[in-house]
Amino acid sequence: MATVLKVLAALGAVLNLFLLIRKIPQMRADEDGAEKWNESKKYAPYNTIVGVVANFLDVFGIGSFATTSSAFKLGKSVRDGDIAGTMIAGDTVPMCLEAFLFAKLAGVDGLTLGVLIVAAVAGSLIGSSLITKLNIQGMRLMLGVGMIILGIMMALRVFAVGPFGLTGDGTALSGGRLIIAAVVMFFLGILMNIGVGLYAPCMALCCGLGMSVTATLPVVMGASALLMAFGNGPQFIRAGKFDPLAVITQIIGGAVGVLIAYFFVKTLDVKYITMVIAAVVLVTGFMFFRDYSNGKPKRRA
């Protein structure tokens, strides 16, 4: 199973890099794409640091989407309408790298892993087909909702409330529990398109249904990487709903962050970091709602 995950993660990274190599020159040849590229130059160092930090923290279970979306919004370094697509297209390669490096942790039943990943990918495909059609106001509304949900889930996980504090010792799901998990993973795949990270809810779901944390980790990492690589990543790239230069900085910075975490940092107390990020994410959600209510373009929006 570890070998299968590695192969799929590598293929997913190559696929999305290939699509980006084709798409970015096309976007730069377009007036709006060229404008985005020129605007983003002054934010390139900032966005690279965001990529490093967000994906470093992702390895320790905090999730890259929470940090990235908040940083983009607070720093005004990516237009509101491009935040979701830039996060997804930019974090896909680092997430695939993470899944590749940590595939050795795979200790979960193959059927369970396969069903849950397929369900998440299917949800991401359906969700991305809808999200890529939204205008900037629609994106602000969806991101606002997503950030509020994500901030609440991060806080629940920190304090181990309800299913976020449960854990079992199993390595597989079967029967009704597998069906329930697949349905929930399908909807989590949809929510990934509006910035709701998969890590916390997937951990709560699988552990709450009786799986151990060790068995759940391959599901979390595999589903996150593959739903982006084969689901919403290609969709957002083809639609051109992203900031091209910011995506490049996310890929480079994100890969560096994952490698630092993998090779140099073995443990990290993430409780207080997660609490701070949860608060920032909630504030970011209300900022999206504020801009949605104002109903007029903001600077860099």
Side-chain angles (χ1 to χ4, degrees), residues 12 27 32 60 64 72 106 113 160 174 180 196 223 243 284:
M27 293 178 68
D32 183 59
F60 296 96
S64 61
F72 283 167
L113 180 63
S174 61
I180 291 171
V196 178
D243 183 312
T284 304

Side-chain angles (χ1 to χ4, degrees), residues 3-228:
T3 301
V4 173
L5 273 178
K6 283 189 172 186
V7 170
L8 290 175
L11 289 175
V14 170
L15 169 64
N16 282 264
L17 285 172
F18 172 75
L19 293 174
L20 285 168
I21 289 171
R22 291 182 58 189
K23 187 66 177 181
I24 289 177
Q26 296 175 10
M27 293 178 68
R28 292 190 64 186
D30 177 78
E31 183 177 347
D32 183 59
E35 183 180 349
K36 285 182 187 178
W37 183 275
N38 290 327
E39 287 178 355
S40 292
K41 286 181 180 178
K42 62 180 177 180
Y43 295 103
Y46 172 83
N47 285 337
T48 302
I49 294 172
V50 170
V52 173
V53 173
N55 285 276
F56 172 85
L57 294 176
D58 189 73
V59 172
F60 296 96
I62 293 177
S64 61
F65 277 19
T67 312
T68 304
S69 56
S70 296
F72 283 167
K73 181 64 174 175
L74 295 174
K76 299 180 180 179
S77 60
V78 174
R79 299 180 184 183
D80 286 356
D82 291 327
I83 287 179
T86 302
M87 280 195 303
I88 291 166
D91 283 347
T92 295
V93 172
M95 280 298 303
C96 287
L97 175 61
E98 186 178 328
F100 183 89
L101 292 173
F102 289 93
K104 62 183 180 182
L105 298 176
V108 62
D109 169 67
L111 177 63
T112 300
L113 180 63
V115 168
L116 298 187
I117 288 178
V118 169
V121 172
S124 73
L125 280 169
I126 291 175
S128 61
S129 66
L130 300 175
I131 298 298
T132 53
K133 294 180 175 64
L134 291 176
N135 59 23
I136 189 169
Q137 282 295 85
M139 290 297 295
R140 283 172 173 161
L141 179 60
M142 290 296 98
L143 285 167
V145 171
M147 292 299 97
I148 298 299
I149 293 173
L150 179 57
I152 292 172
M153 287 195 300
M154 291 180 73
L156 292 175
R157 183 164 173 261
V158 168
F159 296 105
V161 176
F164 291 86
L166 298 177
T167 185
D169 56 8
T171 60
L173 298 175
S174 61
R177 290 188 302 163
L178 181 58
I179 294 173
I180 291 171
V183 171
V184 175
M185 288 293 284
F186 174 81
F187 285 103
L188 290 178
I190 293 176
L191 291 174
M192 277 281 282
N193 292 285
I194 58 171
V196 178
L198 190 77
Y199 199 104
C202 182
M203 288 290 291
L205 170 69
C206 293
C207 291
L209 289 174
M211 290 178 63
S212 68
V213 172
T214 303
T216 302
L217 284 174
V219 177
V220 174
M221 291 185 176
S224 297
L226 300 185
L227 76 81
M228 293 165 69

